[in-house]
Amino acid sequence: MTAIKSGNYSDFVANFKPTLKINSPGRINLIGEHVDYNNGFVLPTAIDKHIVFQFQKTEGEICNVYSATFDTMLTFNINEVSPSEKEWENYVLGVINQIQERGKVVGGFDCIIESYLPMGSGISSSAALECGLAYGLNELFDLGLEKLDIVKIGQKAEHTYVGTQCGIMDQYASVMSKDGHVIQLDCQSIEHQYIPADFGEYKVLLMNTNVSHNLADSAYNTRVAECGSVVKTIAADHNNVASLRDVSLELLNSYKEKLEAVAYQRASYVIEENIRVEKAVAALKANDLVTFGEMMYGSHDGLQNKYEVSCDELDFLVAFSKDYDSILGSRMMGGGFGGCTINLIHQDAIDEFVEAASKAYKEKFNIDLTSFFAKPSEGTAIVTI
Ligand code: GLA
């Protein structure tokens, strides 16, 4: 077992005899932001940073889930699971509730969780938490869940216990990713294709703004509702329209007068982003990274100006990157209002860019920027103990 910093729970940690260890990764998304819950296309993959779970079964009904990262313990009866006041606990309890909703029986267990994913950085530590727990319990209690069940359990836990009406992208990427590849996921059919993540001399660099504006959760659900309202209006006349995926720009424009201006603007972003993802995928397959990068910049522009989920810190970094020919594309990543930008940058220019961006960012916001590479990696998996 790794050395875990434990303050109040050192006895628990010292007596822990894990029989199962799981790595559950964070994810990046190259392009296709805020389109998953609109049944569009996304291009995510897991990265080589994880939450690590260790499990042991216990006698009886009491479960102890210890977060080594926060030195805090959640204790509950497996047969009396209900929502908590604490957000992180709801990720755990929500997953168990969803497993039980599927008629599966989970017994008593203990778990230690160590996170190596910076929270609030847009690399989806929440999906990693949900999916790693579901994956581990599936193994520990031989529940017979498929990988797609685990994905859906994670997503539904977030809807029900956490209260974010998220799409399926994060959980899908966390569980289904394949080393060295990105996933082109069709969020309508829930079918995917693996595409080799071959960027030649370019690297995927994440720059963490280290801000997480608390607008994120409420604004997220508002965006989901705004898109839903557009679908409802158009579907009233077109019964083949079930989501924005079924709406062309032309059809949307014919409803411009009937829609709230903001809702129209949101929907036009979503439809355009879907078109960008398709162009980006074609470009990636053709090894045309210049076009791919242009799509990334287009995505950021839409997220900043039409979908309005960016923030000054992210916009600053994306604008800063435009002075560098060695950067083909840059955009905010994930839900927005903070977190990381994702950058496609030539390997020879990385040090110079990171140094200059960090200095300029510190001068402007008085915040330290952190940067790291994202290596396309395997999804949630068992680790040999
Ligand atoms: C969050 C959600 C995802 C997705 C992204 C934005 O990460 O969990 O489902 O909607 O935001 O693309």
Side-chain angles (χ1 to χ4, degrees):
M1 209 164 96
T2 49
I4 293 168
K5 279 183 265 129
S6 68
N8 301 327
Y9 303 101
S10 45
D11 286 351
F12 176 80
V13 173
N15 294 324
F16 200 81
K17 306 247 175 324
T19 56
L20 175 69
K21 190 170 174 179
I22 303 285
N23 267 357
S24 193
R27 65 100 188 90
I28 53 170
N29 183 28
L30 285 154
I31 191 162
E33 219 63 90
H34 284 275
V35 293
D36 57 351
Y37 54 84
N38 289 302
N39 284 3
F41 294 104
V42 292
L43 202 60
T45 182
I47 59 173
D48 55 343
K49 285 189 186 299
H50 302 100
I51 298 182
V52 182
F53 297 76
Q54 299 179 79
F55 293 91
Q56 68 182 9
K57 277 189 187 174
T58 57
E59 301 293 322
E61 301 179 336
I62 300 301
C63 301
N64 298 294
V65 177
Y66 172 64
S67 162
T69 314
F70 298 110
D71 191 26
T72 183
M73 179 80 88
L74 162 63
T75 298
F76 58 96
N77 184 314
I78 194 68
N79 296 317
E80 292 168 18
V81 169
S82 63
S84 158
E85 309 258 287
K86 295 188 189 154
E87 196 187 14
W88 87 271
E89 296 186 351
N90 280 327
Y91 290 102
V92 173
L93 298 167
V95 162
I96 293 168
N97 169 258
Q98 279 304 310
I99 294 175
Q100 293 174 334
E101 288 278 308
R102 283 165 174 74
K104 305 285 183 185
V105 180
V106 179
F109 71 95
D110 289 341
C111 178
I112 293 181
I113 302 174
E114 290 164 272
S115 179
Y116 298 96
L117 299 176
M119 274 177 60
S121 61
I123 56 173
S124 206
S125 54
S126 43
L129 179 54
E130 295 147 9
C131 296
L133 180 66
Y135 201 102
L137 293 177
N138 188 37
E139 290 295 325
L140 201 64
F141 295 103
D142 208 5
L143 302 178
L145 296 166
E146 302 284 334
K147 278 188 171 185
L148 189 57
D149 296 325
I150 291 170
V151 169
K152 290 183 173 168
I153 283 169
Q155 183 193 20
K156 202 73 195 294
E158 206 146 330
H159 290 182
T160 53
Y161 270 48
V162 181
T164 307
Q165 299 305 310
C166 66
I168 200 167
M169 171 173 76
D170 299 348
Q171 293 79 7
Y172 204 92
S174 193
V175 175
M176 301 291 199
S177 290
K178 183 168 157 185
D179 194 23
H181 291 72
V182 292
I183 301 181
Q184 183 194 7
L185 172 64
D186 178 339
C187 298
Q188 179 158 271
S189 63
I190 316 294
E191 282 168 357
H192 71 247
Q193 251 190 64
Y194 292 114
I195 304 175
D198 183 6
F199 304 115
E201 296 182 341
Y202 287 82
K203 296 266 183 265
V204 177
L205 176 72
L206 299 187
M207 308 211 88
N208 191 350
T209 59
N210 287 313
V211 296
S212 172
H213 297 291
N214 57 10
L215 245 177
D217 288 350
S218 58
Y220 190 95
N221 288 347
T222 307
R223 297 300 179 280
V224 175
E226 285 164 344
C227 294
S229 75
V230 173
V231 172
K232 197 169 165 209
T233 304
I234 301 180
D237 304 324
H238 298 266
N239 59 15
N240 61 329
V241 169
S243 72
L244 286 179
R245 173 74 175 274
D246 306 320
V247 179
S248 64
L249 276 179
E250 202 183 7
L251 180 58
L252 177 71
N253 286 336
S254 70
Y255 276 81
K256 192 168 180 180
E257 304 308 319
K258 278 196 182 175
L259 296 168
E260 299 262 349
V262 168
Y264 166 80
Q265 189 179 307
R266 307 290 192 238
S268 71
Y269 159 76
V270 169
I271 297 167
E272 286 164 3
E273 179 75 347
N274 250 331
I275 296 169
R276 277 188 291 268
V277 180
E278 290 190 273
K279 284 188 183 160
V281 167
L284 184 58
K285 287 180 176 166
N287 229 346
D288 174 4
L289 295 183
V290 171
T291 303
F292 191 89
E294 281 166 10
M295 294 304 121
M296 289 174 77
Y297 275 124
S299 172
H300 186 81
D301 186 57
L303 290 159
Q304 177 182 350
N305 298 308
K306 287 191 163 184
Y307 217 62
E308 297 178 290
V309 290
S310 187
C311 61
D312 290 348
E313 293 86 350
L314 290 164
D315 296 341
F316 176 84
L317 289 177
V318 172
F320 192 84
S321 77
K322 289 187 176 163
D323 286 340
Y324 289 77
D325 290 343
S326 48
I327 297 182
L328 299 181
S330 176
R331 56 188 274 302
M332 57 150 272
M333 190 181 73
F337 302 104
C340 291
T341 61
I342 177 167
N343 305 273
L344 198 55
I345 180 168
H346 194 278
Q347 59 195 20
D348 295 345
I350 292 168
D351 291 346
E352 184 198 341
F353 174 68
V354 168
E355 199 186 321
S358 305
K359 188 162 174 273
Y361 187 76
K362 179 83 179 177
E363 270 166 21
K364 172 96 177 151
F365 298 105
N366 198 24
I367 300 171
D368 290 323
L369 192 66
T370 38
S371 56
F372 53 99
F373 294 111
K375 184 174 168 293
S377 300
E378 195 72 19
T380 313
I382 299 175
V383 185
T384 320
I385 296 183

